[in-house]
């Protein structure tokens, strides 16, 4: 049954209890996927935000039922009034909803309590043709703003790092081992907890350095001296090189002779024909954790500032050296939640252009499709490696799925199923959410 459709066609007072129960079932499914019997109140609140607002797109059906019902009344008013023999005058912009439905006044009052005053409605002069997304958006934005403002400093740095397509692209990528967008069940559960900043299940002390493991995963993904940063770094490089190879573009990784042995500098992560000129281009990939102490203050104030600062550091470290050797240099600085610095985004776009030109393709739509696919592969790779680092520091590199979920759950939930696959909203491209028929 389509839950949203139900909230449109049934009176609010009749559907509310069912919608509340449905919301709790969705949260139960989330807990099962994440492998925990408890999620903090903040984690549950974040899960209900839009993907574009650092949520999981699991918006509450009960919270949006009022908007759905008002939209239904508004969208069908012309037809209903005509059937009642009271058609609206030609050119009329609004109607008296209280004369059309007994609950209209109560619905509008409930709606006005949940949105800023600038978006208040008048039940006696309700506009025709109101869309549900238009009515829901003010509440979505208000909820996201309230959630962010109430967050502590490190949490703000985390949330700002998640306000980017690459950050949540792993939730949009259809899982495929062949395409490199598959996340094993155990790692997926850890990734959910990392995204929600609620890694209490994997708390305690680091199995490698005995430091305290924080709920945000900052130690495991950023500061653990015995962590698996090199493995994550090389995995992202392999994703980019595999993409280049699949389009027939030759590239070299960890080129030892690029700067010359006398420079005593580490080699470029990726070397290929220049994206900017006819020279060799050295690409340096680096991952930074926004909530870590070095970047936290800046990252909590400005979206993407951690990646931007790291990009600047890389230019200062290698930019001049590359110029001396007549090399182009582009750093790809990525925050651990996925946000990529502007220089890195430019590099990815140029890589796509190089691949398409090598295959004699110049279609702009092909460029967008390939760029989206590459972003998804990088996002999935980053999520997998972050989860591996968290499990590694927790002393649980290899996980029995039965340790992560309710042992009495149906067997299929222990394998590759995922209730969090989301789809772009047909009404608003900025939104992605669970299909309403889920």
């Amino acid at each position: 049954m389509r839950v949203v459709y139900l909230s449109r066609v049934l009176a609010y007072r009749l559907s509310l209890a069912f919608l509340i129960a449905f919301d709790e079932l969705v949260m139960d499914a989330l807990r099962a996927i994440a492998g925990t019997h408890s999620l903090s109140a903040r984690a549950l609140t974040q899960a209900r935000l839009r993907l574009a607002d650092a949520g999981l797109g699991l918006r509450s059906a009960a919270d949006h039922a009022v908007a759905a019902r008002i939209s239904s009344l508004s969208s069908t008013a012309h037809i209903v009034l005509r059937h009642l023999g009271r058609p609206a005058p030609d050119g009329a912009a609004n109607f008296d909803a209280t004369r059309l439905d007994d609950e209209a006044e109560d619905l509008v009052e409930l709606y006005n309590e949940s949105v800023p005053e600038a978006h208040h409605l008048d039940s006696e002069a309700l506009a025709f043709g109101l869309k549900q997304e238009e009515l829901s958006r003010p509440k979505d934005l208000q909820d996201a703003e309230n959630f962010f403002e109430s967050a502590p400093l490190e949490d703000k740095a985390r949330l700002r790092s998640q306000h980017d397509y690459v950050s949540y692209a792993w939730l949009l990528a259809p899982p495929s081992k062949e395409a490199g967008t598959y996340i094993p069940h155990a790692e997926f559960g850890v990734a959910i907890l990392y995204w929600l900043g609620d890694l209490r299940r994997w708390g305690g002390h680091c199995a490698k350095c005995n430091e305290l493991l924080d709920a945000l995963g900052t130690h495991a993904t950023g500061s653990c001296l015995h962590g698996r940063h090199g493995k994550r770094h090389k995995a992202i490089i392999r994703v980019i090189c595999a993409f280049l190879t699949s389009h027939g573009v030759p590239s070299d990784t960890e080129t030892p002779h690029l700067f010359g042995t006398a420079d005593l500098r580490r080699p470029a992560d990726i070397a290929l024909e220049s994206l900017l000129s006819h020279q060799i281009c050295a690409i340096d990939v680096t991952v930074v954790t926004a909530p870590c102490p070095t970047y936290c203050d800046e990252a909590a104030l400005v979206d993407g500032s951690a990646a931007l600062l790291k990009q600047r550091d890389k230019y200062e470290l290698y930019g001049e050296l590359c110029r001396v050797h007549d090399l182009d240099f582009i750093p790809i600085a990525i925050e651990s939640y996925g946000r990529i610095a502007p220089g890195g985004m430019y590099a990815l776009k140029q890589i796509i252009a190089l691949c398409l030109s090598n295959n004699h393709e110049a279609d702009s739509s092909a460029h967008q499709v390939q760029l989206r696919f590459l972003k998804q592969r990088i996002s999935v790779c980053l999520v997998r490696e972050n989860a591996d680092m968290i499990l590694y520091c927790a002393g649980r590199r290899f996980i029995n799925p039965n340790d992560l979920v309710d042992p009495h759950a149906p067997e299929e939930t222990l394998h590759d199923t995922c209730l969090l696959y989301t789809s772009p909203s047909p009404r608003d491209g900025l939104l992605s959410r669970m299909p309403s028929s889920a």
Side-chain angles (χ1 to χ4, degrees), residues 152-327:
L153 188 69
E154 286 123 346
D155 233 11
K156 286 182 177 178
R158 173 180 69 89
L159 293 168
R160 286 195 180 277
S161 186
Q162 294 171 332
H163 289 167
D164 182 72
Y165 173 79
V166 181
S167 299
Y168 56 78
W170 59 285
L171 287 164
L172 299 174
S176 166
K177 290 183 179 179
E178 291 74 16
T181 54
Y182 171 78
I183 305 174
H185 183 82
E187 283 82 353
F188 191 89
V190 175
I192 291 294
L193 296 177
Y194 180 58
W195 180 262
L196 298 176
D198 193 12
L199 284 164
R200 293 171 299 157
R201 188 195 192 293
W202 301 105
H205 291 270
C206 178
K208 307 304 170 186
C209 63
N210 208 37
E211 292 290 328
L212 191 65
L213 294 174
D214 57 291
L216 297 185
T218 303
H219 172 79
T221 61
S223 56
C224 181
L225 297 177
H226 305 283
R228 295 161 74 81
H229 304 85
K231 180 175 177 292
R232 177 177 63 183
H233 178 258
K234 290 180 180 179
I236 296 172
I237 293 171
R238 284 198 299 271
V239 165
I240 297 174
C241 287
F243 184 86
L244 288 164
T245 301
S246 69
H247 288 81
V249 177
S251 63
D252 194 8
T253 60
E254 299 293 344
T255 313
H257 59 276
L258 194 58
F259 298 142
T261 55
D263 290 308
L264 300 178
R265 301 293 184 102
R266 74 175 183 81
D269 291 329
I270 304 171
L272 68 161
E273 291 183 16
S274 182
L275 307 175
L276 307 174
S277 62
H278 296 293
Q279 303 169 167
I280 295 295
C281 180
I283 296 178
D284 186 279
V285 177
T286 182
V287 182
V288 56
T289 303
C292 76
T294 305
Y295 302 101
C296 185
D297 290 346
E298 288 284 342
L301 295 175
V302 181
D303 290 358
S305 59
L308 200 58
L309 289 170
K310 194 67 174 179
Q311 174 183 283
R312 183 195 64 189
D313 292 344
K314 288 292 182 178
Y315 272 122
E316 291 178 354
L317 187 60
Y318 296 118
E320 181 58 33
L321 180 65
C322 283
R323 281 192 291 272
V324 169
H325 289 278
D326 293 325
L327 302 172

